[in-house]
Amino acid sequence: MHPLPCSGAGLLHSRILLPLMGMRVSPPHSLSALLGAGVYLQWREPVTGWFRRLLQKPKPSSVESLKSSHSASSSPSSSSSSAKSSSSSPGTSLATSSISLSPVSALDISASDSPRWDKSYDVCICHSEQDMELVEELVSYLEGQPESFRCFLQLRDAVAGSAVVTELCDAVQNSHCWVMLITPGFLQDPWCRYQMHQALAEAPMANGRTIPVLKDVDRKDYPRELRNIYYIYMALKEKSFRQIRDTVMRYLQELCRSSTKRME
């Protein structure tokens, strides 16, 4: 057995040293009692110096511990996404917001028994003839998506020989969503306002079906009839097209979910 070469080692209370050694010895036991039990200790330096350095050793911060724990528990392929929603008063632009889609997949809304097929069109585009070029780009974008949205475009899809009013009303009634492209030309076109009123009559509370899109129009000129509905402000065309697509998708997903709950 080697002696314990530290000055005052026998006086170092076991309640301090022994827990550091991983042993549970209650006072008033001392180091001499521990040695008498057959535990061999050998110290190359005084306990007091070793113990002082132990107390001075810096401890890792809790922040670093959390970071290391998080990095160890998350896989390299994991990712996170955030969806921002507007909580301001109605009539606020959604141009800086991203629509968060529900877990329902595109395959579900395209299934043969999907309520999506209860109507002839997914989207009815209400617009002025002055904005025909922009509308054609929007329709081409929506119809080119993996979901192949069905769009009603008046000058393309109206039946020749039919009354204008009849075609407009049928298109509104047979569409899930209505995109209102509100431009200076829209505000001056009585047929555009007529379509807007028809859409509001079909869904007075909106429920995500009416999608106002402002372009080159001041907020003060936003139609009063739509003041309780959030709009998309078209600054960047590509971003606005994507927001329109996401809004239509969200409505169709919710439609499928509601239908599934009713069946259950």
Side-chain angles (χ1 to χ4, degrees):
M1 178 184 300
H2 296 279
L4 187 64
C6 62
S7 58
L11 300 179
L12 184 62
H13 203 286
S14 61
R15 73 173 65 187
I16 297 176
L17 182 59
L18 297 183
L20 295 175
M21 297 166 55
M23 302 190 64
R24 300 180 60 184
V25 179
S26 302
H29 297 294
S30 63
L31 288 177
S32 59
L34 182 64
L35 295 174
V39 178
Y40 295 89
L41 301 175
Q42 179 177 5
W43 298 93
R44 296 182 180 177
E45 59 180 326
V47 174
T48 53
W50 168 83
F51 190 59
R52 185 180 299 110
R53 287 209 315 277
L54 178 64
L55 293 177
Q56 294 175 352
K57 183 178 180 180
K59 297 181 179 180
S61 65
S62 58
V63 176
E64 292 174 349
S65 301
L66 289 174
K67 285 183 179 179
S68 60
S69 173
H70 176 73
S71 60
S73 61
S74 39
S75 63
S77 60
S78 63
S79 61
S80 61
S81 60
S82 61
K84 297 180 182 179
S85 59
S86 176
S87 59
S88 53
S89 59
T92 299
S93 170
L94 294 179
T96 59
S97 303
S98 59
I99 306 298
S100 112
L101 299 182
S102 61
V104 181
S105 66
L107 181 62
D108 294 324
I109 70 169
S110 300
S112 58
D113 58 345
S114 171
R116 175 188 180 186
W117 310 120
D118 293 344
K119 293 185 180 293
S120 303
Y121 302 99
D122 298 314
V123 187
C124 176
I125 313 293
C126 304
H127 65 96
S128 167
E129 290 188 16
Q130 300 176 18
D131 305 308
M132 193 64 197
E133 183 177 348
L134 177 61
V135 172
E136 288 178 344
E137 290 185 55
L138 173 60
V139 170
S140 177
Y141 172 84
L142 293 175
E143 293 180 342
Q145 294 301 302
E147 300 79 22
S148 299
F149 294 113
R150 301 161 301 157
C151 300
F152 177 83
L153 191 57
Q154 182 181 351
L155 295 181
R156 182 191 67 180
D157 301 316
V159 178
S162 298
V164 174
V165 175
T166 303
E167 286 294 306
L168 290 178
C169 291
D170 287 346
V172 170
Q173 293 173 358
N174 289 308
S175 299
H176 287 293
C177 299
W178 310 290
V179 172
M180 307 286 175
L181 184 57
I182 303 174
T183 63
F186 182 99
L187 298 176
Q188 298 170 8
D189 191 334
W191 285 115
C192 290
R193 301 192 73 92
Y194 180 79
Q195 277 185 291
M196 178 181 67
H197 292 149
Q198 290 298 312
L200 292 174
E202 285 289 319
M205 301 304 294
N207 299 326
R209 300 183 66 184
T210 302
I211 309 171
V213 181
L214 266 66
K215 185 178 186 300
D216 302 329
V217 171
D218 292 335
R219 182 174 178 177
K220 62 182 179 61
D221 297 323
Y222 186 55
R224 284 185 166 275
E225 299 91 331
L226 302 175
R227 289 293 170 88
N228 66 324
I229 304 175
Y230 291 106
Y231 63 82
I232 296 172
Y233 187 80
M234 185 176 290
L236 297 175
K237 183 170 56 179
E238 293 78 9
K239 183 176 181 179
S240 299
F241 284 5
R242 185 170 61 253
Q243 287 181 291
I244 295 170
R245 178 260 178 196
D246 289 349
T247 306
V248 175
M249 174 67 97
R250 183 177 60 177
Y251 173 78
L252 293 177
Q253 288 176 336
E254 185 60 37
L255 183 67
C256 289
R257 184 185 296 105
S258 300
S259 177
T260 302
K261 288 182 179 178
R262 286 196 298 268
M263 292 176 63
E264 293 175 352

